[in-house]
Amino acid sequence: MSTHPSPIHVVGGGLAGSEAAWQIANRGVPVVLHEMRGVRKTDAHQTDSLAELVCSNSFRSDDSTSNAVGVLHAEMRMAGSLIMAAADANQVPAGGALAVDREGFAKAVTKRIAEHPLITVIREEITALPPEEWDNVVVSTGPLTAPDLAESIRAATGADSLSFFDAIAPIVHRDTINMDIAWHQSRYDKVGPGGTGKDYINCPMTREQYEAFVAALIAGEKTEFKQWEHVPYFDGCLPIEIMAERGPETLRHGPMKPMGLTNAHNPAVKAYAVVQLRQDNALGTLFNMVGFQTKLKYGAQTEIFRMIPGLENAEFARLGGLHRNTYINSPVLLDASLMLKSRKGLRFAGQITGCEGYVESASIGLLAGRFAAADRLDEALSAPPATTAFGALLGHITGGHLARDEEPGKRSFQPMNINFGLFPEPEPGSVATTSEGKRLRGKEKTIAKRKAIAARALAHCRDWLAEGRSAA
């Protein structure tokens, strides 16, 4: 007679699903991993391998001392990540980044999953939310979730719970905005719900600056939709460059209108146009550029948006885009353990939860797997601290955004990569001066702050993992 507990079902064998299955099985709990490829192809995948990388082969920076992605890499390695082990074993030269041989990487993941005695892989398409008898499930079907399953999710969670198209404006780190040029003010000093009348950061433009900016938008290199995306333009989320092409004054009477704003640094001079940024997360560390969704290529975005006075040295937590992306309104639908609030035992993981990036997707799979295994074993598992990369990303997904009356529901929650803007600020005074007592300013202060956040994250992650082992 088997001494193992009942199996946990994982739907989707991408990075998140593979990682979730691995974490569950390594806790001694059997897993049934359901993967559609092998029975039905997607528009983007080329093989039937698990954890196939469909875009870049880069996992981005591996610097765990001052880069948020590198911190997440380090935390995943501490947690025994299959995805990181396969990436490390199939690394190719890429400077400070972790890049992989994509075929070797996917084969390594597939082989280790297949060889694990507690994991059973079933090649089949799951066309609806799993039946109730599957009492412990992780759904990790990614941004290309098959239409039938996506419709089942939408029907179960509500008409406004699922997004199929992602129209995203760039998001800027607050501490890289030049407040000697920009100023805080809401249009007409309006005090909205929870507001102060100074809820936006405003960047002014002269006529000459505006005209040069519009010309650069029109000339900037754009990305094209993939053939299978079929992403429509909606009047409410037109790319900024499309608006610019409709006429030189379009933006000045749209998202860049200067009305109702007075430059606090020079009240006597009326700006010809104004770019507004609005607080994007509860911590107040990130601000999004209002109305600036775009199909400009990333290099063009960085160059053109730094033409905006006040953003000349801006660092971007994420750049803009408009593409197909199936994701749920996680802050409303999921609890802190990634479980659907309306159905006990059903968790979501990976990009469908509203994270972006390979390691981000895998890390949420890692967490979902650990939470699911703890439930099956009747063990208590606390959420990772908000000061860790795990906790910062989980916090964004399950409640770190700001809800707005004028932008209800899914539009107030956008997918995001891990970045230092999702972490709590370091303790006051911890990075104010050097060891010699010299006061830090500018880039030196930013680097010191990020190093402090990274060191704190790794220390707190070690403690959290140790607590989990002792509880088990």
Side-chain angles (χ1 to χ4, degrees):
M1 179 180 291
S2 173
T3 59
H4 293 302
S6 301
I8 294 172
H9 295 264
V10 176
V11 181
L15 281 85
S18 297
E19 186 66 64
W22 184 258
Q23 294 290 327
I24 294 165
N26 282 346
R27 293 300 318 283
V29 179
V31 181
V32 180
L33 176 58
H34 305 263
E35 171 51 50
M36 176 179 75
R37 286 175 297 118
V39 175
R40 174 176 174 172
K41 289 187 175 294
T42 74
D43 292 314
H45 292 87
Q46 302 298 314
T47 75
D48 295 338
S49 294
L50 302 177
E52 180 186 339
L53 306 181
V54 298
C55 298
S56 168
N57 71 327
S58 175
F59 283 37
R60 311 193 322 277
S61 175
D62 203 36
D63 175 12
S64 63
T65 65
S66 58
N67 186 288
V69 180
V71 174
L72 187 57
H73 287 182
E75 292 187 9
M76 291 176 70
R77 290 185 179 109
M78 288 183 205
S81 165
L82 168 64
I83 294 303
M84 290 307 300
D88 289 337
N90 290 276
Q91 186 171 2
V92 296
L98 173 59
V100 303
D101 176 319
R102 68 175 72 234
E103 184 177 347
F105 167 80
K107 284 183 176 179
V109 173
T110 304
K111 183 174 186 292
R112 295 193 72 181
I113 290 286
E115 291 176 348
H116 200 295
L118 292 180
I119 302 177
T120 301
V121 179
I122 299 178
R123 298 284 181 164
E124 64 178 350
E125 181 181 1
I126 303 298
T127 58
L129 279 180
E132 295 287 344
E133 53 263 33
W134 293 9
D135 64 332
N136 197 328
V137 186
V138 177
V139 176
S140 53
T141 48
L144 300 180
T145 296
D148 289 346
L149 178 55
E151 174 56 27
S152 177
I153 294 169
R154 187 207 62 77
T157 56
D160 294 328
S161 67
L162 198 64
S163 296
F164 292 97
F165 301 104
D166 219 354
I168 298 174
I171 294 174
V172 180
H173 288 280
R174 164 65 180 80
D175 58 6
T176 66
I177 300 172
N178 183 356
M179 297 306 295
D180 290 335
I181 293 175
W183 75 96
H184 284 279
Q185 185 188 6
S186 299
R187 202 176 300 279
Y188 299 108
D189 300 307
K190 182 179 178 181
V191 179
T196 64
K198 297 183 178 181
D199 302 323
Y200 292 80
I201 292 177
N202 301 279
C203 300
M205 281 187 173
T206 64
R207 180 169 187 161
E208 292 75 17
Q209 289 168 333
Y210 172 79
E211 290 175 348
F213 180 71
V214 170
L217 287 175
I218 294 171
E221 191 174 7
K222 285 86 174 174
T223 59
E224 299 297 329
F225 291 130
K226 296 180 177 68
Q227 186 176 4
W228 47 265
E229 283 190 291
H230 307 297
V231 182
Y233 289 139
F234 302 105
D235 283 342
C237 62
L238 281 174
I240 192 82
E241 63 275 7
I242 297 297
M243 286 188 274
E245 289 171 357
R246 292 187 172 184
E249 292 292 291
T250 303
L251 289 173
R252 207 170 74 86
H253 292 277
M256 295 178 66
K257 59 180 178 286
M259 286 75 78
L261 297 167
T262 301
N263 188 338
H265 303 295
N266 196 354
V269 177
K270 185 72 173 177
Y272 189 75
V274 173
V275 174
Q276 287 198 306
L277 297 97
R278 177 176 51 209
Q279 185 174 334
D280 196 78
N281 67 337
L283 295 172
T285 54
L286 301 174
F287 276 69
N288 71 71
M289 298 173 67
V290 178
F292 267 62
Q293 52 277 349
T294 179
K295 285 291 287 182
L296 287 168
K297 289 191 173 181
Y298 284 173
Q301 287 187 48
T302 301
E303 181 180 346
I304 293 169
F305 295 152
R306 284 178 179 161
M307 294 172 64
I308 299 169
L311 301 186
E312 57 275 2
N313 296 311
E315 292 189 20
F316 297 91
R318 69 161 302 151
L319 289 161
L322 183 68
H323 56 95
R324 177 179 168 181
N325 188 9
T326 304
Y327 67 97
I328 61 174
N329 189 13
S330 293
V332 172
L333 298 174
L334 304 183
D335 69 11
S337 74
L338 298 163
M339 188 187 296
L340 193 65
K341 294 174 183 176
S342 61
R343 178 174 161 182
K344 181 176 173 58
L346 177 59
R347 287 181 168 83
F348 286 84
Q351 283 188 257
I352 198 169
T353 64
C355 62
E356 287 208 338
Y358 292 150
V359 290
E360 290 88 341
S361 179
S363 71
I364 296 303
L366 183 152
L367 293 176
R370 284 177 166 249
F371 286 133
D375 275 0
R376 178 63 87 219
L377 298 170
D378 292 322
E379 296 173 355
L381 179 62
S382 63
T387 48
T388 64
F390 284 148
L393 192 58
L394 182 65
H396 167 69
I397 289 169
T398 60
H401 75 305
L402 289 177
R404 303 184 184 93
D405 287 350
E406 75 272 19
E407 287 191 318
K410 61 181 180 296
R411 288 179 297 167
S412 61
F413 170 63
Q414 294 284 10
M416 188 177 291
N417 298 106
I418 188 69
N419 65 82
F420 281 123
L422 301 182
F423 292 73
E425 291 283 298
E427 290 69 23
S430 62
V431 293
T433 59
T434 66
S435 56
E436 294 81 25
K438 178 183 175 183
R439 185 173 179 82
L440 292 172
R441 298 183 182 277
K443 285 192 174 181
E444 280 189 338
K445 184 176 181 180
T446 298
I447 292 170
K449 182 174 80 170
R450 292 179 180 180
K451 286 184 175 181
I453 292 172
R456 180 186 64 184
L458 298 181
H460 289 185
C461 186
R462 288 188 194 96
D463 292 344
W464 175 69
L465 291 170
E467 289 171 8
R469 285 191 288 270
S470 62

